[in-house]
Amino acid sequence: PGTGGGLDPNTVMEHERELQHVRRKLLTPPPKHLHAWPFQRELETDRAVYLIRQYAHSTLYDRVSTRPFLTLIEKKWLAFQLLHGLADCHDRNVAHGDIKTENVLVTSWGWAFLTDFATFKPKTLPADNPSDYSFFFDTGGRRRCYVAPERFKDAGPAPKREATLGEKTNETSTSSDGTGETHPEPEPKHNSSPGEPLPYDPFAADVFSLGCALGELFLDGYALFDLSQLLAYRAGGFDPSAALEKVGDQNARALVMSMIHLDPKRRPTARAHLERWKQAVTLNSGETLSTRGIETSKTPFFPKYFDRLHDFGGALMTLDADQTASAITQAFEPLLADIAREEGGFVGFGETGEKGEEAVGEKPPASQSAPPRADTDSKKTEHMMRDIDLMMADIGSLLGDGGGDGGGDGADDLPTDCVGADFVGDFVETLGAFP
């Protein structure tokens, strides 16, 4: 506080410069896939500073408890985007500092943004006094904790004032945003041994916080930690894997457990998590989440078509309504075919895709003679084309006037024997909700 109970002008100017610096880093050069939503304006009054950003449809906290409830593939899609967003932030040398479900914005068509970057909040908190935690990280009073355990420090000799996330913690280096200013680099990771305090790395702390948010997403709104549980986890007295057993997908459980590892040195980066789970991996037979062993599997956790869908959604960010409608009309059929082909198994070994290439599949052993496939392949192709025609007829009604009765969601009218009908129904709302 300044004199007379007002704000200290020097403190306000310092935080304002840091927020502007974060904004430049996140938006320069423009990202291919925009998942970071920095503050756009600062409004100072005599008693407070207000940080202003664009309104969004909902937060992730609200979305997980709002009908229609998210399906597993929609949860994976949000997790995929958030890992992309955090990896891009870290590639630009920006730590978020306060990732939680309330700080993830979700549009009406399922695009996710990380927002409310907290460079002005302290990087460490006292473990024996919850008042600082409540003031900085639990303003909503929901008693959920997403703060990495290494950010809590036990009482000891009075330390020097702790630097905040945006302040200098070691030596400075020139920024890459073209301004010529010098800005701090993140603290390097350190090796720790049992009994020593866990080292603090802002990027690893972000991974932990996002892991908590993804755990809450896959648990349909159930939080992994409150403050007391987080402190018990820090001391080795709480196991979050028990709560995650409610998640049916074992790879989702393994992803979250890897992100919330107690030792920050053993948490892979956001980029590493993204690349790992885009590959076809799963837990080894007989192994537990604590060992986190993996083996090659036929199905990746993040489907291959997520990349194409991600590129398509990212390209819509700068289009107006008419351009968006035109882009959707052109891209919809190829996107739907990609989704149906992978989820419904339309294309198998020896069949061809859109451009006539042979689809990837497992060849039979050389010792086995290949069974006759002509009739089978012909029936598969006929069945695939019939299903796509039926789906496109439904989707055409969505893009048109919907008929006299207002139409429907398209997916309800798919035949029950349609290959991939259940999955396509989940995605019709997302893809059809673009302007």
Side-chain angles (χ1 to χ4, degrees), residues 254-303:
L255 166 64
V256 173
M257 287 300 295
S258 178
M259 295 180 73
I260 64 171
H261 198 287
L262 183 61
D263 188 347
K265 299 187 289 82
R266 297 182 62 183
R267 289 178 213 144
T269 64
R271 181 73 63 191
H273 274 112
L274 180 64
E275 295 305 320
R276 170 183 171 181
W277 294 101
K278 285 167 65 176
Q279 306 301 318
V281 293
T282 188
L283 289 175
N284 285 327
S285 176
E287 290 187 318
T288 65
L289 289 174
S290 60
T291 60
R292 294 182 313 284
I294 59 173
E295 64 180 8
T296 301
S297 173
K298 295 181 180 179
T299 306
F301 181 67
F302 294 132

Side-chain angles (χ1 to χ4, degrees), residues 319-339:
L319 302 183
D320 62 27
D322 290 338
Q323 292 170 329
T324 300
S326 177
I328 292 171
T329 301
Q330 294 177 16
F332 195 85
E333 289 192 30
L335 283 172
L336 184 62
D338 279 353
I339 294 170

Side-chain angles (χ1 to χ4, degrees), residues 336-353:
L336 184 62
D338 279 353
I339 294 170
R341 185 177 296 110
E342 186 168 351
E343 294 292 338
F346 287 150
V347 179
F349 174 71
E351 296 178 28
T352 56

Side-chain angles (χ1 to χ4, degrees), residues 215-283:
E216 190 170 328
L217 169 66
F218 287 112
L219 286 168
D220 297 317
Y222 181 86
L224 281 182
F225 300 102
D226 58 24
L227 178 59
S228 61
Q229 290 170 336
L230 192 284
L231 294 176
Y233 179 56
R234 173 176 175 263
F238 179 78
D239 183 7
S241 64
L244 284 169
E245 288 301 319
K246 299 176 183 177
V247 178
D249 190 301
Q250 65 174 353
N251 284 332
R253 300 196 300 267
L255 166 64
V256 173
M257 287 300 295
S258 178
M259 295 180 73
I260 64 171
H261 198 287
L262 183 61
D263 188 347
K265 299 187 289 82
R266 297 182 62 183
R267 289 178 213 144
T269 64
R271 181 73 63 191
H273 274 112
L274 180 64
E275 295 305 320
R276 170 183 171 181
W277 294 101
K278 285 167 65 176
Q279 306 301 318
V281 293
T282 188
L283 289 175

